[in-house]
Amino acid sequence: YYFIATNDADNNHTLYIREADTLPELVNAEEILLLDSTTYEGIGGLLWAPELHVINDKLYVFHAGTAEGFFQEQCHVMALKEGGNPMKASDWEMPKRVIREDGSYLYGEQGITLDMTVIKAGGKHYVCWSQRQFQPVDQGAFLYIATIDPEKPWVITSEPVLLSKPEYGWANNHTFVDEGPFALYRDGKVYLTFSSAAVDSTYVVGLMTADPNTDLTNPDNWVKENYPLLSSRSVEGEYGTGHNAYVTD
């Protein structure tokens, strides 16, 4: 098992990875530094929300990075070199900023992208991410989806489509945000959870569901629930339920 996460302990300037034979052993496993804000020019400031994904038998870390601060945050993909050891920083390639097929950036200078995750369904590879426009006005964070090239998963191969925006009251506490999507596959369906509201006690988890054999870039093929699956009221003593992932033991 491998574990990777945002590092709030140093204000989000490093990404560490852990390795263990069981899930409980990850708690005390040694942390190995994979990337920090000085490793590469142009990828510093903030390192957020890394996720490990296997695509066509190759291991990748999808994460957000920026040359400066919050308003420059953009999605990146870092690939493990052929035959590389995930626990060795030198075995990982330099992160690539997510681009479109024509070579242009996924999103320009009007806003940020982050929390990109991979969805495998119907023989296709998709990515879903959170995107926030700041110019000319802050519209809040929305979820977008597009297909990718599985051989070059940092390349978007379809026009991004708006999948979800914070339209319910529970998604608008203190800020207008949908972010942190992650896919779970069960019983012939793809379940996409996501986070809404501010990263505080009002942080909640929402849900969208689709048939994996349909076109997932068509919003009409998704069903969005009008209530949160998890909130700070769900489990006593657990507050700020939000950005989540799923692991099979």
Side-chain angles (χ1 to χ4, degrees):
Y1 293 93
Y2 294 93
F3 175 88
I4 191 168
T6 301
N7 187 9
D8 284 336
D10 70 353
N11 296 316
N12 317 133
H13 287 289
T14 54
L15 296 182
Y16 285 86
I17 191 169
R18 302 183 187 194
E19 177 186 52
D21 291 330
T22 67
L23 290 173
E25 288 177 312
L26 286 171
V27 175
N28 297 312
E30 180 185 7
E31 289 190 323
I32 302 297
L33 179 66
L34 280 194
L35 183 67
D36 64 29
S37 57
T38 63
T39 306
Y40 300 105
E41 185 178 354
I43 309 175
L46 294 170
L47 296 169
W48 276 350
E51 296 185 6
L52 293 161
H53 289 282
V54 177
I55 302 173
N56 288 357
D57 296 324
K58 294 182 180 180
L59 184 63
Y60 298 90
V61 172
F62 285 67
H63 70 90
T66 171
E68 299 178 29
F70 171 73
F71 291 99
Q72 288 77 40
E73 199 77 12
Q74 300 294 338
C75 294
H76 287 73
V77 179
M78 184 167 63
L80 184 67
K81 296 176 182 177
E82 191 71 31
N85 178 355
M87 299 298 289
K88 289 182 62 177
S90 60
D91 283 355
W92 288 89
E93 297 179 359
M94 178 179 174
K96 295 180 174 67
R97 182 170 167 178
V98 175
I99 59 174
R100 298 169 183 256
E101 284 187 296
D102 63 4
S104 63
Y105 289 136
L106 171 62
Y107 204 40
E109 306 306 320
Q110 294 179 320
I112 62 175
T113 60
L114 67 164
D115 294 356
M116 183 169 281
T117 198
V118 178
I119 306 172
K120 303 173 188 176
K124 295 182 179 180
H125 290 79
Y126 303 84
V127 285
C128 183
W129 68 95
S130 183
Q131 183 168 302
R132 187 166 186 168
Q133 176 180 313
F134 291 106
Q135 300 296 332
V137 295
D138 183 0
Q139 294 185 332
F142 300 168
L143 292 184
Y144 286 79
I145 191 170
T147 56
I148 56 168
D149 179 352
E151 295 302 318
K152 297 178 180 179
W154 56 90
V155 178
I156 300 294
T157 56
S158 67
E159 188 64 25
V161 173
L162 174 61
L163 189 60
S164 177
K165 57 185 178 180
E167 56 196 317
Y168 296 112
W170 47 266
N172 294 327
N173 282 313
H174 304 168
T175 187
F176 297 88
V177 166
D178 276 1
E179 62 185 11
F182 201 87
L184 176 67
Y185 314 94
R186 299 288 291 177
D187 302 325
K189 295 182 179 181
V190 55
Y191 297 92
L192 189 71
T193 53
F194 59 92
S195 302
S196 289
V199 185
D200 57 18
S201 62
T202 68
Y203 212 28
V204 294
V205 176
L207 176 69
M208 301 181 71
T209 308
D211 180 338
N213 296 310
T214 61
D215 178 9
L216 299 188
T217 64
N218 182 350
D220 292 337
N221 290 331
W222 290 88
V223 175
K224 181 179 178 179
E225 304 301 337
N226 61 3
Y227 61 93
L229 290 187
L230 280 173
S231 75
S232 292
R233 296 183 176 183
S234 298
V235 180
E236 186 176 355
E238 298 291 341
Y239 303 104
T241 56
H243 199 154
N244 58 98
Y246 302 92
V247 178
T248 301
D249 185 347

